[in-house]
Amino acid sequence: MSNPKRILLTGSAGRLGRAAVAGLAARGHDVVGFDLAPTPGLPADRSVVGTLADADALRRAATGVDIVIHLAATPDDARFPRGTPPDDGDNFLSDLVPNNVVGAYTVMEVVRRLGVPRVLLASTGQVIDGHLRADNVPVTPDTPPRPRYLYACTKVFLEALGRVYAAQHGVKVLAVRLGWCPRDAGQVAEIAASELAQDVYFSPGDAGRFFAAAAEADTWPSFAVVYASSRHTHRLRYDLTETTRLLGWEPREAWPTGVE
Ligand SMILES: NC(=O)c1ccc[n+]([C@@H]2O[C@H](COP(=O)([O-])OP(=O)(O)OC[C@H]3O[C@@H](n4cnc5c(N)ncnc54)[C@H](O)[C@@H]3O)[C@@H](O)[C@H]2O)c1
């Protein structure tokens, strides 16, 4: 493409990260990955192995980028609702707070200090899960949070964090309530068993094209919440109108295309 972007992609070795690497590379963007593990599909000098807890490493990786696409996180609750004692632990204090709350804050502070102009934050449809379960659909960007469990609470925080940095520091922030891109065979089976899950499925191909469209959009609003998923197969659950209006992106695929 004529105007390739330099992009820091956190969580680049994960399920959506690998889809983003593929979609961004296909469009000629210069991607620096940042993850606890090496990033498949990126050369060694573009694959930073590091933790969100290391602000210096993040700052080095983010220096000179046009956009940060922040995907790195603990992507779900480990066990919730809680079991019965003594087997009643979850991953809130051990993983969700350090990775999703403190880690997100560290990313936004690095962005603020470096003056990175745009940040895409990976939120989730789990923040409006209560509306989906109550059949209060389609949900729109204005639909207020009704989070599922504690993981979703960290993403409500993430959206609020983005809103604050946009308002106070002029960073342009897109908080994206992402559909379900399954990470393993168990999740594929869960989606296969649920019409609702199929309607919010997000194929790796659509995800890759979505991240490229976000990187390439000429203008971003100061702050926006949008949804991103593949096409619904049964009923419309996520209203993608605003996503298409802002980014010119539309999904091309539907469940089960792209399932691995
Ligand atoms: N896959 C989905 O269906 C889905 C849906 C909605 C939202 N999300 C969000 O999208 C993002 C990516 O999810 P995913 O499914 O690819 O998850 P994933 O677990 O496959 O990938 C997450 C990546 O982040 C990295 N990571 C975690 N903590 C880190 C830290 N402290 N420092 C550096 N790297 C760290 C992990 O090593 C991993 O490679 C997450 O923010 C998740 O909450 C995913």
Side-chain angles (χ1 to χ4, degrees):
M1 72 163 299
S2 58
N3 184 19
K5 305 289 188 211
R6 188 171 168 99
I7 298 163
L8 174 64
L9 177 66
T10 73
S12 47
R15 182 68 206 92
L16 280 169
R18 282 176 278 125
V21 166
L24 293 166
R27 297 283 298 164
H29 296 294
D30 179 7
V31 179
V32 177
F34 188 99
D35 201 297
L36 297 170
T39 300
L42 284 180
D45 68 341
R46 286 287 185 276
S47 168
V48 178
V49 175
T51 165
L52 297 176
D54 185 348
D56 289 338
L58 263 178
R59 187 162 51 245
R60 283 193 297 276
T63 299
V65 304
D66 302 301
I67 302 173
V68 173
I69 297 179
H70 176 48
L71 305 183
T74 297
D76 216 334
D77 301 272
R79 188 187 299 125
F80 213 84
R82 291 187 167 91
T84 46
D87 187 26
D88 60 349
D90 58 45
N91 60 348
F92 185 68
L93 292 175
S94 58
D95 299 311
L96 292 172
V97 169
N99 291 333
N100 299 12
V101 176
V102 182
Y105 162 78
T106 306
V107 167
M108 293 311 295
E109 273 297 285
V110 164
V111 159
R112 175 181 73 82
R113 286 166 182 257
L114 289 176
V116 177
R118 292 182 180 187
V119 182
L120 187 154
L121 298 175
S123 184
T124 170
Q126 288 195 32
V127 302
I128 47 74
D129 183 76
H131 295 286
L132 299 181
R133 308 279 161 196
D135 217 19
N136 177 21
V137 292
V139 288
T140 72
D142 293 331
T143 301
R146 273 175 77 172
R148 185 172 182 236
Y149 302 141
L150 300 187
Y151 158 73
C153 292
T154 70
K155 296 297 187 173
V156 173
F157 170 80
L158 180 74
E159 293 183 5
L161 185 73
R163 195 182 284 276
V164 166
Y165 276 75
Q168 301 304 321
H169 299 298
V171 187
K172 294 193 170 179
V173 178
L174 211 51
V176 187
R177 295 175 178 171
L178 296 159
W180 193 353
C181 186
R183 282 181 292 277
D184 54 43
Q187 294 193 352
V188 171
E190 278 185 70
I191 299 174
S194 160
E195 290 191 358
L196 193 166
Q198 290 165 22
D199 286 338
V200 301
Y201 169 67
F202 200 18
S203 74
D206 277 338
R209 286 183 289 274
F210 168 78
F211 291 116
E216 291 165 23
D218 287 337
T219 55
W220 277 25
S222 166
F223 174 84
V225 170
V226 295
Y227 293 83
S229 70
S230 290
R231 293 178 183 277
H232 63 279
T233 44
H234 306 281
R235 294 177 53 205
L236 180 67
R237 318 269 178 168
Y238 290 171
D239 184 342
L240 301 178
T241 310
E242 188 65 0
T243 322
T244 303
R245 189 185 72 79
L246 287 174
L247 305 178
W249 171 85
E250 284 184 354
R252 296 182 194 167
E253 297 174 341
W255 168 262
T257 302
V259 166
E260 290 166 1

